Coordinates of all heavy atoms in Angstrom, one line a residue:
M1 N 6.2 -27.9 7.3 CA 5.7 -27.8 5.9 C 6.8 -27.3 5.0 O 7.5 -26.4 5.3 CB 4.5 -26.8 5.9 CG 3.9 -26.7 4.6 SD 2.4 -25.7 4.8 CE 2.9 -24.1 4.1
V2 N 6.9 -28.0 3.9 CA 7.9 -27.7 2.9 C 7.3 -26.7 1.9 O 6.3 -27.0 1.3 CB 8.5 -28.9 2.2 CG1 9.5 -28.5 1.2 CG2 9.1 -29.8 3.2
V3 N 7.9 -25.6 1.7 CA 7.4 -24.6 0.7 C 8.1 -24.9 -0.6 O 9.3 -25.1 -0.7 CB 7.8 -23.3 1.2 CG1 7.3 -22.1 0.1 CG2 7.1 -22.9 2.5
D4 N 7.3 -25.0 -1.7 CA 7.8 -25.3 -3.0 C 8.0 -23.9 -3.6 O 7.1 -23.4 -4.3 CB 6.8 -26.2 -3.8 CG 7.4 -26.4 -5.1 OD1 8.3 -25.8 -5.7 OD2 6.9 -27.5 -5.7
A5 N 9.2 -23.4 -3.5 CA 9.5 -22.1 -4.0 C 9.4 -21.9 -5.5 O 8.9 -20.9 -6.0 CB 10.9 -21.7 -3.6
H6 N 9.8 -23.0 -6.2 CA 9.6 -23.0 -7.7 C 8.1 -22.8 -8.1 O 7.8 -22.1 -9.0 CB 10.2 -24.2 -8.3 CG 11.7 -24.1 -8.7 ND1 12.0 -23.2 -9.7 CD2 12.8 -24.7 -8.2 CE1 13.3 -23.2 -9.8 NE2 13.8 -24.1 -8.9
K7 N 7.3 -23.6 -7.4 CA 5.9 -23.6 -7.8 C 5.3 -22.2 -7.4 O 4.6 -21.7 -8.2 CB 5.1 -24.7 -6.9 CG 3.7 -24.9 -7.3 CD 3.1 -26.1 -6.7 CE 1.7 -26.4 -7.0 NZ 0.7 -25.5 -6.3
E8 N 5.6 -21.7 -6.2 CA 5.2 -20.4 -5.8 C 5.7 -19.3 -6.9 O 4.8 -18.5 -7.3 CB 5.7 -20.0 -4.5 CG 5.0 -20.6 -3.3 CD 5.4 -20.0 -2.0 OE1 6.2 -19.1 -2.0 OE2 5.1 -20.7 -1.0
W9 N 6.9 -19.4 -7.3 CA 7.4 -18.5 -8.3 C 6.6 -18.6 -9.6 O 6.3 -17.6 -10.3 CB 8.9 -18.7 -8.5 CG 9.5 -17.7 -9.6 CD1 9.8 -18.0 -10.8 CD2 9.8 -16.4 -9.4 NE1 10.3 -16.9 -11.4 CE2 10.3 -15.8 -10.5 CE3 9.6 -15.5 -8.2 CZ2 10.6 -14.5 -10.7 CZ3 10.1 -14.2 -8.4 CH2 10.5 -13.7 -9.6
N10 N 6.4 -19.8 -10.1 CA 5.7 -20.1 -11.4 C 4.3 -19.6 -11.3 O 3.7 -19.2 -12.4 CB 5.8 -21.5 -11.8 CG 7.2 -22.0 -12.2 OD1 8.0 -21.1 -12.6 ND2 7.5 -23.2 -12.0
E11 N 3.7 -19.5 -10.1 CA 2.3 -19.2 -10.1 C 2.1 -17.6 -9.8 O 1.1 -17.2 -9.8 CB 1.6 -19.9 -8.9 CG 1.5 -21.4 -9.3 CD 0.9 -22.2 -8.2 OE1 0.7 -21.6 -7.0 OE2 0.6 -23.4 -8.4
M12 N 3.3 -16.9 -9.6 CA 3.1 -15.5 -9.4 C 2.9 -14.8 -10.8 O 3.4 -15.2 -11.8 CB 4.6 -14.9 -8.9 CG 4.7 -15.1 -7.4 SD 6.4 -14.6 -6.9 CE 6.3 -12.9 -7.1
D13 N 2.1 -13.7 -10.7 CA 1.9 -12.9 -11.9 C 3.1 -12.2 -12.3 O 4.0 -11.9 -11.4 CB 0.7 -12.0 -11.8 CG 0.9 -11.0 -10.7 OD1 1.4 -9.9 -11.0 OD2 0.5 -11.3 -9.5
Q14 N 3.3 -11.7 -13.5 CA 4.5 -11.1 -14.0 C 4.8 -9.7 -13.1 O 5.9 -9.5 -12.9 CB 4.4 -10.8 -15.5 CG 5.7 -10.3 -16.0 CD 6.9 -11.3 -15.9 OE1 6.7 -12.5 -15.9 NE2 8.1 -10.8 -15.7
K15 N 3.7 -9.0 -12.9 CA 3.9 -7.7 -12.1 C 4.5 -8.0 -10.8 O 5.4 -7.2 -10.4 CB 2.5 -7.1 -11.9 CG 2.6 -5.7 -11.4 CD 3.1 -4.7 -12.3 CE 3.1 -3.3 -11.8 NZ 3.6 -2.3 -12.8
S16 N 4.0 -9.0 -10.0 CA 4.7 -9.4 -8.8 C 6.1 -9.8 -8.9 O 7.0 -9.5 -8.1 CB 3.9 -10.5 -8.2 OG 2.5 -10.2 -7.9
K17 N 6.5 -10.4 -10.0 CA 7.8 -10.8 -10.2 C 8.7 -9.6 -10.4 O 9.8 -9.6 -9.9 CB 7.9 -11.8 -11.5 CG 7.4 -13.2 -11.2 CD 7.5 -14.0 -12.4 CE 6.8 -15.4 -12.2 NZ 6.8 -16.3 -13.4
E18 N 8.2 -8.7 -11.2 CA 8.9 -7.5 -11.5 C 9.2 -6.7 -10.2 O 10.3 -6.2 -10.0 CB 8.2 -6.6 -12.5 CG 7.8 -7.2 -13.9 CD 9.0 -7.6 -14.7 OE1 10.1 -7.3 -14.4 OE2 8.7 -8.2 -15.7
L19 N 8.1 -6.6 -9.4 CA 8.3 -6.0 -8.1 C 9.4 -6.6 -7.2 O 10.2 -6.0 -6.6 CB 7.0 -5.8 -7.4 CG 6.1 -4.7 -7.8 CD1 4.6 -4.9 -7.4 CD2 6.5 -3.4 -7.4
E20 N 9.3 -8.0 -7.2 CA 10.3 -8.7 -6.5 C 11.8 -8.5 -7.1 O 12.7 -8.2 -6.2 CB 10.1 -10.2 -6.4 CG 11.0 -10.9 -5.6 CD 10.6 -12.4 -5.3 OE1 9.3 -12.6 -5.2 OE2 11.4 -13.2 -5.0
F21 N 11.9 -8.4 -8.4 CA 13.2 -8.1 -8.9 C 13.7 -6.7 -8.3 O 14.8 -6.5 -8.0 CB 13.1 -8.0 -10.5 CG 12.8 -9.2 -11.2 CD1 12.1 -9.3 -12.4 CD2 13.2 -10.4 -10.6 CE1 11.8 -10.4 -13.0 CE2 12.9 -11.6 -11.2 CZ 12.2 -11.6 -12.5
A22 N 12.8 -5.7 -8.4 CA 13.1 -4.3 -8.0 C 13.4 -4.3 -6.5 O 14.4 -3.7 -6.1 CB 12.0 -3.4 -8.2
R23 N 12.6 -5.0 -5.6 CA 12.9 -5.0 -4.2 C 14.2 -5.7 -3.9 O 15.0 -5.2 -3.0 CB 11.8 -5.7 -3.5 CG 10.5 -4.9 -3.5 CD 9.4 -5.6 -2.7 NE 8.1 -5.0 -2.8 CZ 7.1 -5.7 -3.5 NH1 7.3 -6.9 -3.8 NH2 6.0 -5.1 -3.6
N24 N 14.5 -6.8 -4.6 CA 15.8 -7.5 -4.4 C 17.0 -6.6 -4.8 O 18.0 -6.6 -4.1 CB 15.8 -8.8 -5.1 CG 14.9 -9.9 -4.4 OD1 14.6 -9.8 -3.3 ND2 14.6 -10.9 -5.2
S25 N 16.8 -5.9 -5.9 CA 17.9 -5.0 -6.4 C 18.0 -3.9 -5.3 O 19.2 -3.5 -5.1 CB 17.5 -4.4 -7.7 OG 17.5 -5.4 -8.7
L26 N 17.0 -3.4 -4.8 CA 17.1 -2.3 -3.8 C 17.9 -2.8 -2.5 O 18.7 -2.1 -2.1 CB 15.6 -1.9 -3.4 CG 15.6 -0.8 -2.3 CD1 16.3 0.5 -2.6 CD2 14.1 -0.5 -2.0
M27 N 17.5 -4.0 -2.1 CA 18.3 -4.5 -0.9 C 19.8 -4.6 -1.2 O 20.6 -4.3 -0.4 CB 17.7 -5.9 -0.5 CG 16.4 -5.8 0.1 SD 15.9 -7.5 0.9 CE 15.5 -8.4 -0.6
E28 N 20.1 -5.1 -2.5 CA 21.5 -5.2 -2.9 C 22.2 -3.9 -2.9 O 23.4 -3.7 -2.6 CB 21.6 -5.9 -4.2 CG 21.2 -7.4 -4.2 CD 20.9 -8.0 -5.5 OE1 21.0 -7.3 -6.6 OE2 20.5 -9.2 -5.5
E29 N 21.5 -2.8 -3.4 CA 22.1 -1.5 -3.5 C 22.4 -1.0 -2.0 O 23.4 -0.3 -1.8 CB 21.1 -0.5 -4.2 CG 20.9 -0.9 -5.6 CD 22.1 -0.7 -6.6 OE1 23.1 -0.3 -6.1 OE2 21.9 -1.1 -7.8
L30 N 21.4 -1.2 -1.2 CA 21.6 -0.8 0.3 C 22.8 -1.5 0.9 O 23.5 -0.8 1.6 CB 20.3 -1.0 1.0 CG 19.1 0.0 0.6 CD1 17.8 -0.5 1.3 CD2 19.4 1.4 1.0
E31 N 22.9 -2.7 0.6 CA 24.0 -3.5 1.2 C 25.3 -3.0 0.6 O 26.2 -2.9 1.4 CB 23.8 -5.0 0.8 CG 24.8 -5.9 1.5 CD 24.5 -7.4 1.2 OE1 23.6 -7.8 0.4 OE2 25.3 -8.2 1.7
A32 N 25.3 -2.7 -0.7 CA 26.5 -2.1 -1.3 C 26.9 -0.8 -0.6 O 28.1 -0.6 -0.3 CB 26.3 -1.9 -2.8
I33 N 25.9 0.0 -0.3 CA 26.2 1.3 0.4 C 26.9 1.0 1.8 O 27.9 1.6 2.1 CB 24.9 2.1 0.6 CG1 24.5 2.7 -0.8 CG2 25.2 3.3 1.7 CD1 23.1 3.2 -0.7
N34 N 26.3 0.0 2.6 CA 26.9 -0.4 3.8 C 28.3 -0.8 3.7 O 29.2 -0.5 4.5 CB 26.0 -1.3 4.5 CG 24.8 -0.8 5.2 OD1 24.7 0.4 5.4 ND2 23.9 -1.6 5.5
N35 N 28.5 -1.7 2.6 CA 29.9 -2.2 2.4 C 30.9 -1.1 2.1 O 32.0 -1.0 2.6 CB 29.9 -3.2 1.3 CG 29.2 -4.5 1.7 OD1 29.2 -4.9 2.9 ND2 28.7 -5.2 0.8
Y36 N 30.4 -0.1 1.2 CA 31.3 1.0 0.9 C 31.6 1.8 2.2 O 32.7 2.3 2.4 CB 30.7 1.9 -0.2 CG 30.9 1.4 -1.6 CD1 29.9 1.0 -2.4 CD2 32.3 1.3 -2.1 CE1 30.1 0.5 -3.7 CE2 32.5 0.8 -3.3 CZ 31.4 0.5 -4.2 OH 31.7 0.0 -5.5
Q37 N 30.5 2.1 3.0 CA 30.7 2.9 4.1 C 31.8 2.3 5.1 O 32.6 3.0 5.7 CB 29.4 3.1 4.9 CG 29.5 4.1 6.0 CD 29.9 5.5 5.6 OE1 29.2 6.2 4.9 NE2 31.1 5.9 6.0
A38 N 31.7 1.0 5.3 CA 32.6 0.4 6.1 C 34.1 0.4 5.7 O 35.0 0.7 6.4 CB 32.3 -1.1 6.3
R39 N 34.2 0.3 4.3 CA 35.5 0.4 3.7 C 36.1 1.9 3.7 O 37.3 2.1 4.0 CB 35.6 -0.1 2.3 CG 35.3 -1.6 2.2 CD 35.1 -2.1 0.9 NE 34.6 -3.5 1.1 CZ 33.8 -4.1 0.1 NH1 33.5 -3.5 -0.9 NH2 33.4 -5.3 0.3
I40 N 35.1 2.8 3.5 CA 35.5 4.3 3.6 C 36.1 4.5 5.0 O 37.1 5.3 5.2 CB 34.3 5.1 3.4 CG1 34.0 5.0 1.8 CG2 34.5 6.6 3.7 CD1 32.6 5.5 1.4
S41 N 35.3 4.1 6.0 CA 35.7 4.3 7.4 C 37.1 3.6 7.8 O 37.8 4.0 8.5 CB 34.7 3.7 8.4 OG 33.5 4.4 8.2
A42 N 37.4 2.5 7.1 CA 38.5 1.6 7.5 C 39.8 2.1 6.7 O 40.9 1.9 7.2 CB 38.3 0.2 7.2
T43 N 39.7 2.5 5.4 CA 40.8 2.8 4.6 C 41.7 4.0 5.2 O 41.1 5.0 5.7 CB 40.5 3.0 3.1 OG1 41.7 3.1 2.4 CG2 39.7 4.4 3.0
Q44 N 43.0 3.8 5.0 CA 43.8 4.8 5.4 C 44.5 5.6 4.3 O 45.3 6.5 4.4 CB 45.0 4.3 6.3 CG 44.4 3.8 7.7 CD 45.4 3.1 8.5 OE1 46.7 3.3 8.3 NE2 45.0 2.5 9.6
D45 N 44.0 5.2 3.1 CA 44.5 5.8 1.8 C 43.5 6.9 1.3 O 42.4 6.5 1.0 CB 44.7 4.7 0.7 CG 45.2 5.2 -0.6 OD1 44.5 6.1 -1.2 OD2 46.3 4.8 -0.9
A46 N 43.9 8.1 1.3 CA 42.9 9.2 1.0 C 42.5 9.2 -0.4 O 41.3 9.4 -0.7 CB 43.7 10.6 1.2
E47 N 43.3 8.7 -1.4 CA 42.8 8.6 -2.8 C 41.7 7.5 -2.9 O 40.7 7.6 -3.5 CB 44.0 8.3 -3.7 CG 43.6 8.3 -5.1 CD 44.8 7.9 -6.1 OE1 45.9 7.8 -5.5 OE2 44.6 7.8 -7.3
L48 N 42.0 6.4 -2.2 CA 41.0 5.2 -2.2 C 39.7 5.7 -1.5 O 38.6 5.4 -2.0 CB 41.6 4.0 -1.6 CG 40.6 2.8 -1.5 CD1 40.2 2.4 -2.9 CD2 41.3 1.6 -0.8
K49 N 39.8 6.4 -0.4 CA 38.7 6.9 0.3 C 37.8 7.7 -0.6 O 36.5 7.6 -0.7 CB 39.1 7.7 1.6 CG 37.9 8.1 2.4 CD 38.3 9.0 3.5 CE 39.1 8.2 4.6 NZ 38.3 7.5 5.6
K50 N 38.4 8.7 -1.4 CA 37.7 9.5 -2.2 C 37.0 8.7 -3.3 O 35.8 9.0 -3.7 CB 38.6 10.5 -2.9 CG 38.0 11.6 -3.7 CD 39.0 12.6 -4.2 CE 38.4 13.6 -5.1 NZ 39.4 14.5 -5.8
L51 N 37.6 7.7 -3.9 CA 37.0 6.8 -4.9 C 35.9 6.1 -4.4 O 34.8 6.0 -5.0 CB 38.1 5.9 -5.4 CG 37.9 5.0 -6.6 CD1 39.3 4.6 -7.2 CD2 37.1 3.9 -6.4
L52 N 36.0 5.5 -3.2 CA 34.9 4.7 -2.6 C 33.7 5.6 -2.3 O 32.6 5.1 -2.4 CB 35.5 4.1 -1.3 CG 36.6 3.0 -1.5 CD1 37.1 2.4 -0.2 CD2 36.0 1.8 -2.4
I53 N 34.0 6.9 -1.8 CA 32.8 7.8 -1.5 C 32.1 8.0 -2.8 O 30.9 8.0 -2.9 CB 33.4 9.1 -0.9 CG1 33.8 8.8 0.5 CG2 32.3 10.2 -0.9 CD1 34.6 10.0 1.2
H54 N 32.8 8.3 -3.8 CA 32.2 8.5 -5.2 C 31.3 7.3 -5.6 O 30.2 7.4 -6.0 CB 33.3 8.7 -6.3 CG 32.7 8.7 -7.7 ND1 32.2 9.8 -8.3 CD2 32.6 7.6 -8.6 CE1 31.8 9.5 -9.5 NE2 32.0 8.1 -9.7
N55 N 31.8 6.1 -5.5 CA 31.1 4.8 -5.8 C 29.9 4.7 -4.9 O 28.8 4.3 -5.3 CB 32.1 3.7 -5.7 CG 33.1 3.6 -6.8 OD1 33.1 4.5 -7.6 ND2 34.0 2.6 -6.7
M56 N 30.0 4.9 -3.6 CA 28.9 4.9 -2.7 C 27.8 5.9 -3.1 O 26.7 5.5 -3.1 CB 29.4 5.2 -1.2 CG 28.3 5.0 -0.2 SD 28.8 5.3 1.5 CE 29.1 7.1 1.4
D57 N 28.2 7.1 -3.4 CA 27.2 7.9 -3.8 C 26.4 7.5 -5.1 O 25.2 7.8 -5.2 CB 27.8 9.4 -4.1 CG 28.2 10.0 -2.8 OD1 27.9 9.5 -1.7 OD2 28.9 11.0 -2.8
E58 N 27.1 6.9 -6.0 CA 26.4 6.3 -7.1 C 25.4 5.2 -6.8 O 24.3 5.2 -7.3 CB 27.4 5.7 -8.2 CG 28.1 6.8 -8.9 CD 29.0 6.3 -10.1 OE1 29.1 5.0 -10.2 OE2 29.4 7.1 -10.9
E59 N 25.7 4.4 -5.7 CA 24.8 3.4 -5.3 C 23.6 4.1 -4.7 O 22.4 3.6 -4.8 CB 25.5 2.5 -4.1 CG 26.7 1.8 -4.6 CD 26.5 0.8 -5.8 OE1 25.3 0.7 -6.3 OE2 27.5 0.3 -6.3
K60 N 23.8 5.3 -4.0 CA 22.6 6.0 -3.5 C 21.7 6.5 -4.6 O 20.5 6.5 -4.5 CB 23.1 7.2 -2.6 CG 23.7 6.7 -1.3 CD 24.3 7.9 -0.4 CE 24.9 7.3 0.8 NZ 25.5 8.4 1.7
E61 N 22.3 6.8 -5.7 CA 21.4 7.2 -6.8 C 20.7 6.0 -7.3 O 19.5 6.1 -7.7 CB 22.3 7.7 -8.0 CG 21.6 8.1 -9.2 CD 22.4 8.6 -10.4 OE1 23.6 8.3 -10.4 OE2 21.9 9.3 -11.2
H62 N 21.3 4.8 -7.3 CA 20.6 3.6 -7.8 C 19.4 3.3 -6.9 O 18.4 2.9 -7.3 CB 21.6 2.5 -7.8 CG 22.6 2.6 -8.8 ND1 23.8 1.9 -8.8 CD2 22.8 3.6 -9.8 CE1 24.6 2.3 -9.7 NE2 24.0 3.3 -10.3
V63 N 19.6 3.6 -5.5 CA 18.5 3.4 -4.5 C 17.4 4.3 -4.9 O 16.2 3.9 -4.9 CB 19.1 3.7 -3.1 CG1 17.9 3.8 -2.2 CG2 20.0 2.5 -2.6
A64 N 17.7 5.5 -5.2 CA 16.7 6.5 -5.5 C 15.9 6.1 -6.7 O 14.6 6.1 -6.8 CB 17.2 7.9 -5.7
M65 N 16.6 5.7 -7.7 CA 15.9 5.2 -9.0 C 15.0 4.0 -8.8 O 13.9 3.9 -9.2 CB 17.0 4.8 -10.0 CG 17.8 6.1 -10.5 SD 19.4 5.5 -11.3 CE 18.8 5.0 -12.9
L66 N 15.5 3.1 -7.9 CA 14.6 1.9 -7.7 C 13.4 2.2 -6.8 O 12.3 1.7 -7.0 CB 15.5 0.7 -6.9 CG 16.4 0.0 -7.9 CD1 17.5 -0.7 -7.1 CD2 15.6 -1.0 -8.7
V67 N 13.6 3.1 -5.8 CA 12.4 3.5 -5.0 C 11.4 4.2 -5.9 O 10.2 4.0 -5.7 CB 12.9 4.4 -3.8 CG1 11.7 5.1 -3.2 CG2 13.7 3.6 -2.8
E68 N 11.9 5.1 -6.8 CA 10.9 5.7 -7.7 C 10.2 4.7 -8.5 O 9.0 4.8 -8.7 CB 11.7 6.7 -8.6 CG 12.0 8.0 -7.9 CD 12.7 9.0 -8.8 OE1 12.8 8.8 -10.0 OE2 13.0 10.1 -8.3
W69 N 10.9 3.7 -9.0 CA 10.2 2.7 -9.8 C 9.2 1.9 -9.0 O 8.1 1.7 -9.5 CB 11.3 1.7 -10.5 CG 10.6 0.8 -11.4 CD1 10.5 0.9 -12.8 CD2 10.0 -0.5 -11.1 NE1 9.8 -0.1 -13.3 CE2 9.5 -0.9 -12.4 CE3 9.8 -1.3 -10.0 CZ2 8.8 -2.2 -12.5 CZ3 9.1 -2.4 -10.1 CH2 8.6 -2.9 -11.3
I70 N 9.6 1.5 -7.8 CA 8.7 0.9 -7.0 C 7.4 1.7 -6.6 O 6.3 1.2 -6.7 CB 9.3 0.3 -5.6 CG1 10.4 -0.7 -6.0 CG2 8.4 -0.2 -4.6 CD1 11.4 -1.0 -4.9
R71 N 7.7 3.0 -6.4 CA 6.6 3.8 -6.1 C 5.6 3.9 -7.3 O 4.4 4.0 -7.2 CB 7.0 5.2 -5.6 CG 7.6 5.3 -4.3 CD 8.0 6.6 -3.8 NE 6.8 7.4 -3.6 CZ 6.7 8.6 -3.1 NH1 7.8 9.3 -2.8 NH2 5.6 9.3 -2.9
K72 N 6.1 3.9 -8.5 CA 5.3 4.0 -9.7 C 4.5 2.8 -9.9 O 3.5 2.7 -10.5 CB 6.2 4.3 -10.9 CG 6.4 5.7 -11.2 CD 7.0 6.0 -12.5 CE 8.3 5.4 -12.8 NZ 8.9 5.8 -14.0
N73 N 5.0 1.6 -9.4 CA 4.5 0.3 -9.8 C 3.8 -0.4 -8.6 O 3.3 -1.5 -8.9 CB 5.6 -0.6 -10.4 CG 6.0 -0.1 -11.8 OD1 5.3 -0.4 -12.7 ND2 7.0 0.7 -11.8
D74 N 3.8 0.2 -7.5 CA 3.1 -0.4 -6.3 C 2.4 0.7 -5.6 O 2.9 1.5 -4.8 CB 4.2 -1.0 -5.3 CG 3.5 -1.6 -4.1 OD1 2.5 -1.3 -3.7 OD2 4.3 -2.5 -3.5
Q75 N 1.1 0.8 -5.9 CA 0.2 1.8 -5.4 C 0.2 2.0 -3.9 O 0.2 3.0 -3.3 CB -1.2 1.7 -5.9 CG -1.4 2.0 -7.4 CD -2.8 1.9 -7.9 OE1 -3.6 1.2 -7.3 NE2 -3.1 2.7 -8.9
T76 N 0.2 0.8 -3.3 CA 0.2 0.8 -1.8 C 1.5 1.4 -1.2 O 1.4 2.2 -0.3 CB -0.1 -0.5 -1.2 OG1 -1.3 -1.1 -1.8 CG2 -0.2 -0.6 0.3
Q77 N 2.6 1.0 -1.8 CA 3.8 1.5 -1.3 C 3.9 3.1 -1.5 O 4.4 3.8 -0.6 CB 5.0 0.9 -2.1 CG 6.4 1.2 -1.5 CD 6.6 0.6 -0.1 OE1 6.7 -0.6 0.1 NE2 6.5 1.5 0.9
D78 N 3.5 3.5 -2.7 CA 3.4 4.9 -3.0 C 2.6 5.7 -2.0 O 3.0 6.7 -1.4 CB 3.0 5.2 -4.4 CG 3.0 6.6 -4.7 OD1 4.2 7.2 -4.7 OD2 2.0 7.2 -5.2
K79 N 1.4 5.1 -1.7 CA 0.5 5.7 -0.7 C 1.2 5.8 0.7 O 1.0 6.8 1.4 CB -0.7 4.8 -0.6 CG -1.8 5.3 0.3 CD -3.1 4.4 0.1 CE -4.2 4.8 1.1 NZ -4.4 3.8 2.1
M80 N 2.0 4.8 1.1 CA 2.6 4.8 2.4 C 3.7 6.0 2.5 O 3.9 6.6 3.5 CB 3.4 3.5 2.7 CG 2.4 2.3 2.8 SD 1.2 2.7 4.1 CE 0.1 1.3 3.9
F81 N 4.3 6.3 1.3 CA 5.3 7.4 1.3 C 4.5 8.8 1.6 O 5.0 9.6 2.2 CB 6.0 7.5 0.0 CG 7.3 6.7 0.0 CD1 7.3 5.4 -0.5 CD2 8.4 7.2 0.5 CE1 8.4 4.7 -0.5 CE2 9.6 6.5 0.5 CZ 9.6 5.1 0.0
K82 N 3.3 8.8 1.0 CA 2.5 10.0 1.2 C 1.9 10.2 2.5 O 1.6 11.3 2.9 CB 1.4 10.1 0.0 CG 2.1 10.2 -1.3 CD 1.0 10.1 -2.5 CE 1.6 10.2 -3.8 NZ 0.8 9.7 -4.8
E83 N 1.5 9.0 3.2 CA 0.6 9.1 4.3 C 1.2 8.7 5.6 O 0.6 8.7 6.7 CB -0.6 8.2 4.0 CG -1.5 8.7 2.9 CD -2.7 7.9 2.6 OE1 -2.9 6.9 3.3 OE2 -3.4 8.2 1.7
H84 N 2.5 8.2 5.6 CA 3.0 7.7 6.9 C 3.1 8.8 7.9 O 3.2 10.0 7.6 CB 4.4 7.0 6.7 CG 5.5 7.9 6.3 ND1 6.2 8.6 7.3 CD2 6.0 8.2 5.1 CE1 7.1 9.3 6.6 NE2 7.0 9.1 5.4
D85 N 3.1 8.4 9.2 CA 3.2 9.4 10.3 C 4.6 10.0 10.4 O 5.6 9.5 10.0 CB 3.0 8.6 11.6 CG 1.6 8.1 11.7 OD1 0.7 8.7 11.1 OD2 1.4 7.0 12.4
Ligands
FE2_1 FE1 24.3 0.0 -7.8

């Protein structure tokens, strides 16, 4: 079966689209953290290591901001944060 991604996207309500934007951004921020961590581990330049750590920490702030937004805009996700085992 071929999925018509454009049709699916056009039929999504705006709130669902906004949540998808936020989740995709969250994935990108987490991927950026992993990339920075790998480079921090690999670099032999102390000044560069310090700069990369600073940048990685900023990405962690972005993760926190996106998680907060998702929690505010997805009641089920927010509930899972409160009730998970
Ligand atoms: Fe970021």
Side-chain angles (χ1 to χ4, degrees):
M1 184 171 99
V2 177
V3 176
D4 186 342
H6 267 293
K7 186 169 184 282
E8 282 185 9
W9 179 258
N10 289 336
E11 291 176 355
M12 282 173 69
D13 62 89
Q14 188 61 33
K15 185 72 173 182
S16 296
K17 290 178 183 175
E18 304 293 357
L19 281 164
E20 185 165 332
F21 295 151
R23 292 186 192 110
N24 284 342
S25 296
L26 178 58
M27 288 190 287
E28 290 164 3
E29 298 292 356
L30 291 168
E31 186 175 3
I33 291 168
N34 281 343
N35 288 337
Y36 275 119
Q37 186 61 67
R39 292 169 192 154
I40 289 162
S41 299
T43 187
Q44 296 180 10
D45 184 294
E47 185 181 355
L48 179 59
K49 185 184 290 277
K50 188 175 172 186
L51 190 159
L52 294 174
I53 289 170
H54 170 83
N55 289 359
M56 180 178 71
D57 289 350
E58 287 192 348
E59 303 301 353
K60 291 179 179 179
E61 180 182 24
H62 299 165
V63 165
M65 294 164 75
L66 284 162
V67 168
E68 281 184 2
W69 187 92
I70 291 167
R71 289 186 69 176
K72 274 196 293 189
N73 290 279
D74 181 337
Q75 288 184 334
T76 303
Q77 187 66 74
D78 184 52
K79 183 172 174 247
M80 294 305 169
F81 271 95
K82 293 171 180 163
E83 296 180 1
H84 70 84
D85 294 332

